[in-house]
Coordinates of all heavy atoms in Angstrom, one line a residue:
L192 N 85.1 119.3 109.7 CA 85.5 119.3 108.4 C 85.1 118.1 107.5 O 84.7 118.2 106.3 CB 87.1 119.5 108.4 CG 87.7 119.5 107.0 CD1 87.3 120.7 106.1 CD2 89.3 119.5 107.1
H193 N 85.2 117.0 108.1 CA 84.8 115.7 107.4 C 83.4 115.8 107.0 O 83.1 115.4 105.8 CB 85.1 114.5 108.4 CG 84.6 113.2 107.8 ND1 85.2 112.6 106.8 CD2 83.7 112.4 108.2 CE1 84.5 111.4 106.5 NE2 83.5 111.4 107.4
E194 N 82.6 116.2 107.8 CA 81.2 116.2 107.5 C 80.9 117.4 106.2 O 80.2 117.1 105.3 CB 80.4 116.8 108.6 CG 78.9 116.8 108.5 CD 78.1 117.2 109.8 OE1 78.4 116.5 110.8 OE2 77.3 118.1 109.6
Q195 N 81.6 118.5 106.3 CA 81.6 119.5 105.3 C 82.1 118.9 104.0 O 81.3 119.2 102.9 CB 82.3 120.8 105.8 CG 81.6 121.5 106.9 CD 82.5 122.6 107.4 OE1 83.6 122.9 106.9 NE2 82.1 123.3 108.4
L196 N 83.2 118.4 104.0 CA 83.7 117.8 102.8 C 82.8 116.7 102.3 O 82.6 116.7 101.0 CB 85.1 117.2 103.1 CG 86.2 118.2 103.3 CD1 87.5 117.6 103.8 CD2 86.4 119.1 102.3
S197 N 82.3 115.8 103.1 CA 81.3 114.8 102.6 C 80.1 115.5 101.9 O 79.7 115.0 100.8 CB 80.9 113.9 103.8 OG 82.0 113.2 104.3
D198 N 79.6 116.5 102.5 CA 78.4 117.3 102.0 C 78.6 117.7 100.6 O 77.7 117.9 99.8 CB 77.9 118.3 102.8 CG 77.3 117.8 104.2 OD1 76.9 116.6 104.3 OD2 76.9 118.7 105.1
L199 N 79.9 118.2 100.4 CA 80.3 118.9 99.1 C 80.8 117.9 98.2 O 81.4 118.1 97.1 CB 81.3 119.9 99.4 CG 80.8 121.2 100.2 CD1 82.0 122.1 100.6 CD2 79.8 121.9 99.3
A200 N 81.0 116.6 98.6 CA 81.6 115.5 97.7 C 83.0 115.8 97.3 O 83.5 115.6 96.3 CB 80.7 115.2 96.5
L201 N 83.9 116.5 98.2 CA 85.1 116.7 98.1 C 86.1 115.8 98.9 O 85.7 115.5 100.0 CB 85.4 118.2 98.5 CG 85.0 119.3 97.7 CD1 85.2 120.6 98.4 CD2 85.5 119.3 96.3
D202 N 87.1 115.5 98.3 CA 88.1 114.5 98.9 C 89.6 115.0 98.6 O 90.2 114.7 97.7 CB 88.0 113.1 98.1 CG 88.8 112.0 98.9 OD1 89.0 112.2 100.0 OD2 89.1 111.0 98.1
P203 N 89.9 115.9 99.7 CA 91.2 116.5 99.6 C 92.4 115.6 99.6 O 92.3 114.6 100.4 CB 91.2 117.6 100.7 CG 90.4 117.0 101.7 CD 89.3 116.3 100.9
E204 N 93.4 116.0 98.9 CA 94.7 115.2 98.9 C 95.3 115.3 100.3 O 95.9 114.5 100.9 CB 95.5 115.8 97.8 CG 97.0 115.2 97.8 CD 97.8 115.6 96.9 OE1 97.4 116.6 96.0 OE2 99.0 115.2 96.7
A205 N 95.3 116.7 101.0 CA 96.0 116.9 102.1 C 95.4 118.0 102.9 O 94.5 118.9 102.3 CB 97.5 117.3 101.7
I206 N 95.7 118.1 104.2 CA 95.3 119.2 105.0 C 96.8 119.7 105.4 O 97.5 119.0 105.9 CB 94.5 118.8 106.2 CG1 93.1 118.2 105.9 CG2 94.5 120.0 107.2 CD1 92.4 117.6 107.0
V207 N 96.9 120.9 105.2 CA 98.3 121.5 105.5 C 98.1 122.7 106.6 O 97.0 123.5 106.5 CB 98.9 122.3 104.2 CG1 100.2 123.0 104.6 CG2 99.1 121.2 103.1
H208 N 98.9 122.7 107.6 CA 98.7 123.7 108.7 C 100.0 124.1 109.2 O 101.0 123.4 109.0 CB 97.9 123.2 109.8 CG 98.5 121.9 110.5 ND1 99.2 122.0 111.6 CD2 98.5 120.6 110.1 CE1 99.6 120.8 111.9 NE2 99.3 120.0 111.1
A209 N 100.1 125.2 109.9 CA 101.3 125.6 110.7 C 101.3 124.9 112.0 O 100.3 124.5 112.5 CB 101.3 127.1 111.0
S210 N 102.5 124.5 112.4 CA 102.7 123.7 113.6 C 103.8 124.2 114.5 O 104.8 124.6 114.0 CB 103.1 122.3 113.2 OG 103.0 121.3 114.3
T211 N 103.4 124.1 115.7 CA 104.5 124.5 116.7 C 104.5 123.4 117.8 O 105.3 122.4 117.8 CB 104.4 125.9 117.3 OG1 103.0 126.1 117.8 CG2 104.7 127.0 116.3
S212 N 103.7 123.6 118.8 CA 103.7 122.6 119.9 C 102.9 121.3 119.6 O 103.0 120.4 120.4 CB 103.1 123.3 121.2 OG 101.8 123.7 121.0
G213 N 102.1 121.3 118.6 CA 101.6 119.9 118.2 C 100.2 119.6 118.4 O 99.7 118.6 117.9
G214 N 99.5 120.5 119.1 CA 98.0 120.2 119.4 C 97.3 120.1 118.3 O 96.3 119.1 118.0
T215 N 97.4 120.9 117.2 CA 96.6 120.9 115.9 C 96.8 119.6 115.1 O 95.9 118.9 114.8 CB 97.0 122.0 115.0 OG1 96.7 123.3 115.7 CG2 96.2 122.1 113.7
H216 N 98.2 119.3 115.0 CA 98.5 118.2 114.2 C 98.0 116.9 114.8 O 97.4 116.0 114.2 CB 100.1 118.2 114.1 CG 100.4 117.3 112.9 ND1 101.1 117.7 111.8 CD2 100.2 115.9 112.6 CE1 101.4 116.8 111.0 NE2 100.9 115.6 111.4
A217 N 98.3 116.7 116.1 CA 97.8 115.6 116.8 C 96.3 115.5 116.9 O 95.7 114.3 116.7 CB 98.3 115.6 118.3
G218 N 95.6 116.5 117.1 CA 94.2 116.5 116.9 C 93.6 116.1 115.6 O 92.7 115.3 115.5
L219 N 94.3 116.6 114.6 CA 93.9 116.1 113.2 C 94.0 114.7 113.0 O 93.2 114.0 112.3 CB 94.5 117.1 112.2 CG 94.2 118.5 112.1 CD1 95.1 119.3 111.2 CD2 92.8 118.8 111.8
L220 N 95.1 114.2 113.5 CA 95.4 112.7 113.4 C 94.3 111.9 114.1 O 93.8 111.0 113.6 CB 96.7 112.3 114.0 CG 98.0 112.9 113.2 CD1 99.3 112.5 114.0 CD2 98.1 112.2 111.9
V221 N 93.9 112.4 115.4 CA 93.0 111.6 116.1 C 91.6 111.7 115.2 O 90.9 110.7 115.1 CB 92.7 112.3 117.5 CG1 91.6 111.7 118.2 CG2 94.0 112.1 118.3
G222 N 91.3 112.9 114.8 CA 90.0 113.1 114.0 C 89.9 112.2 112.8 O 89.0 111.6 112.5
R223 N 91.1 112.1 112.2 CA 91.2 111.2 110.9 C 91.0 109.8 111.3 O 90.2 109.1 110.6 CB 92.5 111.5 110.2 CG 92.6 110.7 109.0 CD 94.0 110.8 108.3 NE 94.9 110.2 109.2 CZ 96.2 110.4 109.0 NH1 96.7 110.8 107.9 NH2 97.1 109.7 109.8
A224 N 91.5 109.4 112.4 CA 91.4 108.0 112.9 C 89.9 107.8 113.2 O 89.5 106.6 113.1 CB 92.2 107.7 114.1
L225 N 89.1 108.7 113.5 CA 87.7 108.5 113.7 C 86.9 108.4 112.5 O 85.6 108.1 112.6 CB 87.1 109.6 114.8 CG 87.7 109.6 116.2 CD1 87.4 111.0 116.8 CD2 87.3 108.4 116.9
T226 N 87.5 108.6 111.4 CA 86.7 108.6 110.1 C 87.3 107.5 109.2 O 88.5 106.9 109.5 CB 86.6 109.9 109.4 OG1 88.0 110.2 108.9 CG2 86.3 111.0 110.4
D227 N 86.7 107.5 108.0 CA 87.3 106.6 106.9 C 88.1 107.4 105.9 O 88.5 106.9 104.9 CB 86.1 105.8 106.2 CG 85.1 106.7 105.6 OD1 85.2 108.0 105.7 OD2 84.4 106.3 104.8
R228 N 88.2 108.7 106.2 CA 89.0 109.5 105.3 C 90.5 109.4 105.4 O 91.1 109.4 106.4 CB 88.7 111.1 105.7 CG 89.0 112.0 104.6 CD 88.5 113.4 104.9 NE 87.1 113.5 104.7 CZ 86.4 113.7 103.6 NH1 87.0 113.6 102.4 NH2 85.1 113.6 103.6
R229 N 91.1 109.2 104.1 CA 92.5 108.9 104.1 C 93.1 110.3 103.5 O 93.2 110.3 102.2 CB 92.8 107.7 103.2 CG 92.4 106.4 103.8 CD 93.0 106.0 105.0 NE 92.4 106.6 106.2 CZ 92.8 106.6 107.4 NH1 93.9 105.9 107.9 NH2 92.1 107.2 108.4
V230 N 93.4 111.2 104.3 CA 94.0 112.4 103.8 C 95.3 112.6 104.5 O 95.5 112.3 105.6 CB 93.0 113.6 104.1 CG1 92.7 113.7 105.5 CG2 93.5 114.9 103.5
R231 N 96.2 113.1 103.7 CA 97.6 113.5 104.3 C 97.4 114.7 105.3 O 96.7 115.6 104.9 CB 98.6 113.8 103.3 CG 99.1 112.6 102.5 CD 100.0 113.1 101.3 NE 101.2 113.7 101.7 CZ 102.0 114.4 100.9 NH1 101.6 114.4 99.6 NH2 103.1 114.9 101.2
I232 N 98.0 114.6 106.4 CA 98.1 115.8 107.3 C 99.5 116.3 107.4 O 100.4 115.5 107.8 CB 97.5 115.4 108.7 CG1 96.0 115.0 108.4 CG2 97.6 116.6 109.7 CD1 95.4 114.3 109.8
I233 N 99.7 117.4 106.9 CA 101.1 117.9 106.8 C 101.2 119.2 107.5 O 100.7 120.3 107.4 CB 101.5 118.3 105.3 CG1 101.1 117.1 104.4 CG2 102.8 118.8 105.1 CD1 101.3 117.4 102.8
G234 N 102.1 119.1 108.6 CA 102.5 120.2 109.5 C 103.6 120.9 109.0 O 104.6 120.4 108.6
I235 N 103.5 122.3 108.8 CA 104.7 123.2 108.5 C 105.2 123.6 109.7 O 104.6 124.6 110.5 CB 104.2 124.3 107.5 CG1 103.5 123.6 106.3 CG2 105.5 125.1 107.1 CD1 104.1 122.8 105.4
D236 N 106.4 123.1 110.2 CA 106.9 123.6 111.5 C 107.3 125.0 111.4 O 108.2 125.5 110.6 CB 108.1 122.6 111.9 CG 108.5 122.7 113.4 OD1 108.9 123.7 113.8 OD2 108.2 121.8 114.0

């Protein structure tokens, strides 16, 4: 996603997703940590 957004010169304010057991949210946090992108990651429990 980071690569696609960079190619499009888009800088989203947030990534919003449904959340239950946490794999998605935790993975997005790890992915964000690997980039310079400062985007809010918001899980909807």
Side-chain angles (χ1 to χ4, degrees):
L192 174 65
H193 173 69
E194 185 176 310
Q195 292 171 359
L196 292 170
S197 296
D198 289 348
L199 296 169
L201 288 174
D202 191 23
E204 175 184 358
I206 298 171
V207 177
H208 65 94
S210 184
T211 52
S212 59
T215 302
H216 201 122
L219 295 175
L220 291 171
V221 172
R223 184 183 65 186
L225 293 169
T226 71
D227 59 351
R228 192 168 295 279
R229 297 293 86 186
V230 60
R231 287 172 64 192
I232 298 169
I233 306 170
I235 308 299
D236 197 290

